[in-house]
Structures are given as C-alpha cells and as structure tokens.
Amino acid sequence: MGFLGMWVLAPLPDEAVPDVAAVLRPPVEEQRSRERTQELWRHWCAAPDRVAGLRRVGHGRGRTMTLDADSEAFQELSGACPLAGYDQEIYAALDRLPARWQRLALAAGCSKGYPAAALAHGLGPGRFAALPGWFGDMLLTAQQVRTALPAVERALTLPPGERRAAEARTVEWLCESGDGHPREAAAMLDGVLPLWRAAAAEGAGLLGAMFVP
C-alpha cells in the first residue's frame, strides 16, 4: 500500500512553540528514547557506509533487488515516523505562520518513503546529529534556533566533493528505499541552512515535522 512521506521545516512564532511542543514533542521523545531505537542508532553510527540502496541478491532467474540487513535496520530507525497521524495538528501549527514567513518554509515529499531519512543517509550520522531534534522532527524556540545555528552551518557547509557525494547518497535513499524524485535531495541539502539563518534573523522558532498527510 502506497503513502506519501512529507517533511516540512518552517519558522514558527516564538510564542506558539510551547503550545505546539506540548502536543508534538511527546511522541517524538517517546520514540527516540526506546531501547530498540537507541540500538539501531548505535548500529548506524558504527557503520554508516554499510547502508545503501537496493542491492542485487540471488542467482540466475532468482535474482532480485532488495535492501540488505544493514539498510533494513536504517530503514527501521529512520522510518518510524512518530508524527504519522498528527497531520491535523501539524497543519494547525503551520496555519500560525505569519504571511511574510510562508515563503521561507521548506517542504519535501517522497512516495513510499521519508525525505528526512534520505537527508540523514546523505549527510551521515556525524553531520546529521548536529541538527536538533530527531530525524527531522523538531520544535525549537527562537533562542534555540540561534544557539544551534553555528553547528547547523558546520554540518551543512560541504566542500564541493562532499556535497556531490551527499547528494548522491540522498538521491539513492529517496529513489531506492522509496519512490522519490532526485530534485528533493538538492532542495533539502541547499534549503535547510538558508531557512535556519532566516529564522534566526527574524527571531522565529522552528517547526520540523516528518509526517504522512
């Protein structure tokens, strides 16, 4: 059965953050704190290069393309999507964006997959862990946005060779574990940092949500 995974990252008025966080933060933290989640996180951090897209297995007419065990473990980790089922609450939060901030919002989609998971695979655990929150889910006050900005700049400022490799890995996960479009990779890799800087300059908080509309 198909589905559409959506990741949104949008500035949020600082005064709205506590109300939204009271609803959306608990399921994310519950997922993050699970023993199985932490086990999968450690597994990914220990050997991120062993995660890849589809690989050919079997011989002759029995050959097929599938994810191997390490990639399936990463899929379980990154595709848990604790905010699935909270689409109405997320839309209600987005409705609180002032009109002048709506152009700043970033949205990426993937049929049968999760864009934030692809970004994580593209950046690798070292860089991706510098982004606050959990696999794209975050609710930050304006002060937290400003505090995190230097780390986010370091994580997303990639030399040309690393940038090309990160985009290739992001596309790999978008298009092989899911049925996404390659353009979403560049949109995320190039869009998060300008949005973060703009939110910091505007004194805005940030809402990040990976969900299934």
Side-chain angles (χ1 to χ4, degrees), residues 7-164:
W7 183 48
V8 296
L9 185 65
L12 197 65
D14 197 36
E15 62 272 17
V17 172
D19 292 342
V20 178
V23 177
L24 299 184
R25 191 173 287 158
V28 175
E29 291 304 316
E30 194 276 334
Q31 175 65 33
R32 182 177 191 165
S33 64
R34 288 181 180 177
E35 184 176 344
R36 175 62 174 168
T37 301
Q38 293 302 312
E39 176 188 349
L40 290 167
W41 173 264
R42 291 190 294 269
H43 184 83
W44 179 45
C45 290
D49 292 341
R50 291 168 62 176
V51 176
L54 297 173
R55 292 176 177 170
R56 192 174 298 279
V57 297
H59 302 281
R61 292 184 179 179
R63 289 185 301 175
T64 186
M65 299 295 288
T66 189
L67 296 176
D68 63 17
D70 290 296
S71 301
E72 286 188 349
F74 176 73
Q75 187 175 58
E76 180 184 349
L77 170 68
S78 62
C81 200
L83 293 182
Y86 285 81
D87 49 308
Q88 294 306 311
E89 290 83 356
I90 292 166
Y91 290 139
L94 294 173
D95 283 343
R96 300 178 72 167
L97 269 68
R100 71 182 188 278
W101 288 355
Q102 291 176 4
R103 62 179 177 79
L104 299 176
L106 171 70
C110 181
S111 177
K112 296 182 287 187
Y114 299 100
L119 180 63
H121 178 55
L123 291 174
R127 289 185 181 274
F128 190 70
L131 305 184
W134 184 250
F135 280 95
D137 296 326
M138 65 186 79
L139 282 157
L140 306 178
T141 64
Q143 181 58 54
Q144 289 170 327
V145 170
R146 290 190 293 268
T147 299
L149 179 58
V152 174
E153 288 180 326
R154 289 191 295 272
L156 293 174
T157 303
L158 301 166
E162 289 186 37
R163 170 62 178 72
R164 288 191 294 270

